[in-house]
Amino acid sequence: MMTPQEYQLPVIDLSQPCAKENIFQAAKKYGLLQVVNHGISRELLGNVTREAVKLFETPLETRARSGLLNNSSPWGTSPAQFSHHVPLVKIYDPSCHGQFTSLGGVMRALAPAMFGLARTLAGVLEESLGHQGRSTLNEKCDDNTCFLRLIQSPVCPLSPERFWPLPHADSDFLTILYQDQVGGLRLLKDSRFVVVKPIRDALVVSIGDLLQAWSNDVYRSVEQKVEKNREVERYSVAFSLCPSPGSQIGRCRKPSVYRKFTCGEYRKQVQEDIKRTCRKVGLPRFRQIERNISDVSTELVFYDDPWRIRKKLTKSDLDQLSRLLLPQDCVKAHVLRWMKKEMVGKVESKEGMEVDVINEDTGGEHRLVFRYWASSGCYVLNGGWSKLFVNGGKLNIGDEIGMYWDTISCKFHFTVLQKVACGTSNPAA
């Protein structure tokens, strides 16, 4: 196996005069950054890590009885035995600490420090977009909505390539992460996961889906995952700047690329996605797409999320050439528009670009080649289309399929919406 490329995230010294501009540029370009001289002491961060180790050594049954620990992720993404979400309101209430008084005391010192840092960073990001007056992001977040998350990534000696949690983008406005020196964090960059090297005393700041929606895609959340270690556990603590379920996710500017939704609606959709597909689809489902019926012969129709591209298969999609035709106008408007220039260049090249296509009906993830086919004036997906999708799904002429391009993970999603043989629609649609 190839060793994944190690990547150095931008490291921003918050004590420097240029910090604000650096924060804005890094958040806009990468979606993740690291900050130092943030005002949270090494001693405090070390103490919370030691308390986390002791916590996860405690039997799960004991932890579950604690009034301090909340065993359910608000997004439905984390197993209780390896992750605890602790609302700030519980941290600030000593009566909730029970037998975890030492842990509660350390978190009571860490929580306001993390909250203050998150407020500062949110204010900088708003100011950089020209937002004036009181902080919209901070007004929506308080002790009742924000939380600390204690996370353990267990040893995996037999299959260290396994990842937990599954690849995902953060959901809230901002996440501030302190990770130990074990490392393992990876982020998606240019369609490949790269290793993020841990830096002592640095905090990782991650843009969440809700901030991406509020900023109208100026800031973008980035897909990430954690590789399990063969020999030692990995511990981390994260602070989430999160609004209440009823909070309307506004926009910093118009026109908006997202429809109106609340944090609660988004949270419910994430939980439904995970239950149905075992993966978080997230923000693309809330993207506002213009309704349009293409006049090309492939009978392509655009709908709102999630299946924005719907196509009735023709004979040319099912023949021995093994490629799915996608009209040029469609691809430019709904796929290339959201790609970086270097990715577009690869798609337009003779060789094309390898992309992952997730089959929501089977749960499989397959790699195809996405490229421009100059002689036909169309874009195509090939390199296994017939074997993996046509034959595997027993597709026929007239069957209707749905697809969309996930702008966060840079993957296509695929489903069969309707089979002509039975005339019934896929419930997932």
Side-chain angles (χ1 to χ4, degrees), residues 162-294:
R162 292 181 60 191
F163 295 91
W164 180 90
L166 292 174
H168 67 287
D170 286 333
S171 300
D172 44 28
F173 282 138
L174 277 179
T175 298
I176 300 177
L177 174 73
Y178 174 68
Q179 59 173 336
D180 59 21
Q181 296 301 298
V182 173
L185 179 64
R186 297 185 181 183
L187 67 87
L188 189 68
K189 186 176 185 297
D190 299 330
S191 300
R192 293 290 183 273
F193 279 98
V194 295
V195 176
V196 178
K197 182 180 180 181
I199 297 177
R200 186 171 296 280
D201 299 332
L203 298 175
V204 178
V205 181
S206 174
I207 301 297
D209 283 351
L210 298 184
L211 181 52
Q212 177 174 331
W214 180 85
S215 71
N216 243 2
D217 284 351
V218 174
Y219 305 122
R220 288 177 176 266
S221 57
V222 60
E223 189 169 348
Q224 52 196 283
K225 59 185 180 180
V226 175
E227 183 181 32
K228 294 182 179 180
N229 193 282
R230 287 181 181 274
E231 300 175 351
V232 294
E233 293 88 357
R234 175 186 184 269
Y235 295 92
S236 57
V237 57
F239 174 87
S240 291
L241 187 67
C242 190
S244 66
S247 293
Q248 188 84 33
I249 306 305
R251 294 90 172 154
C252 67
R253 60 183 65 178
K254 295 181 179 180
S256 175
V257 296
Y258 297 95
R259 66 174 176 83
K260 293 181 179 180
F261 66 95
T262 65
C263 177
E265 287 180 87
Y266 176 75
R267 182 180 296 181
K268 181 180 178 181
Q269 183 63 63
V270 168
Q271 292 170 344
E272 289 177 355
D273 287 341
I274 292 173
K275 183 178 180 180
R276 185 171 66 85
T277 68
C278 295
R279 67 173 60 243
K280 175 193 169 190
V281 178
L283 197 56
R285 294 198 184 278
F286 294 86
R287 188 174 292 279
Q288 191 163 259
I289 300 297
E290 67 274 18
R291 294 184 182 273
N292 173 50
I293 300 180
S294 174

Side-chain angles (χ1 to χ4, degrees), residues 132-188:
Q132 302 295 326
R134 299 167 64 180
S135 169
T136 300
L137 303 185
N138 287 327
E139 282 184 348
K140 294 178 179 293
C141 306
D142 57 31
D143 295 345
N144 294 298
T145 64
C146 299
F147 52 88
L148 283 177
R149 187 164 73 252
L150 303 171
I151 309 162
Q152 178 197 43
S153 183
V155 172
C156 192
L158 299 180
S159 302
E161 68 276 8
R162 292 181 60 191
F163 295 91
W164 180 90
L166 292 174
H168 67 287
D170 286 333
S171 300
D172 44 28
F173 282 138
L174 277 179
T175 298
I176 300 177
L177 174 73
Y178 174 68
Q179 59 173 336
D180 59 21
Q181 296 301 298
V182 173
L185 179 64
R186 297 185 181 183
L187 67 87
L188 189 68

Side-chain angles (χ1 to χ4, degrees), residues 354-373:
E354 288 190 337
V355 294
D356 290 323
V357 182
I358 299 169
N359 190 333
E360 299 286 2
D361 302 325
T362 65
E365 185 168 332
H366 309 291
R367 178 151 290 192
L368 300 180
V369 175
F370 181 41
R371 65 184 180 88
Y372 180 60
W373 189 14

Side-chain angles (χ1 to χ4, degrees), residues 12-19 36-38:
I12 297 170
D13 186 341
L14 297 185
S15 67
Q16 296 299 311
C18 59
V36 295
N37 287 326
H38 40 67

Side-chain angles (χ1 to χ4, degrees), residues 73-91:
S73 160
W75 309 104
T77 56
S78 304
Q81 64 267 39
F82 300 126
S83 178
H84 289 285
H85 293 71
V86 191
L88 299 197
V89 67
K90 286 190 175 183
I91 292 173

Side-chain angles (χ1 to χ4, degrees), residues 46-120:
N47 287 341
V48 75
T49 300
R50 284 189 287 274
E51 290 298 329
V53 172
K54 291 192 290 184
L55 171 69
F56 287 106
E57 289 175 346
T58 305
L60 179 60
E61 295 77 13
T62 303
R63 287 182 262 153
R65 292 194 298 268
S66 169
L68 178 65
L69 305 175
N70 182 352
N71 287 324
S72 62
S73 160
W75 309 104
T77 56
S78 304
Q81 64 267 39
F82 300 126
S83 178
H84 289 285
H85 293 71
V86 191
L88 299 197
V89 67
K90 286 190 175 183
I91 292 173
Y92 294 146
D93 183 0
S95 66
C96 292
H97 296 180
Q99 70 181 82
F100 297 104
T101 54
S102 180
L103 172 64
V106 171
M107 289 198 296
R108 195 173 184 181
L110 180 66
M114 285 282 205
F115 200 0
L117 177 59
R119 285 180 176 273
T120 298

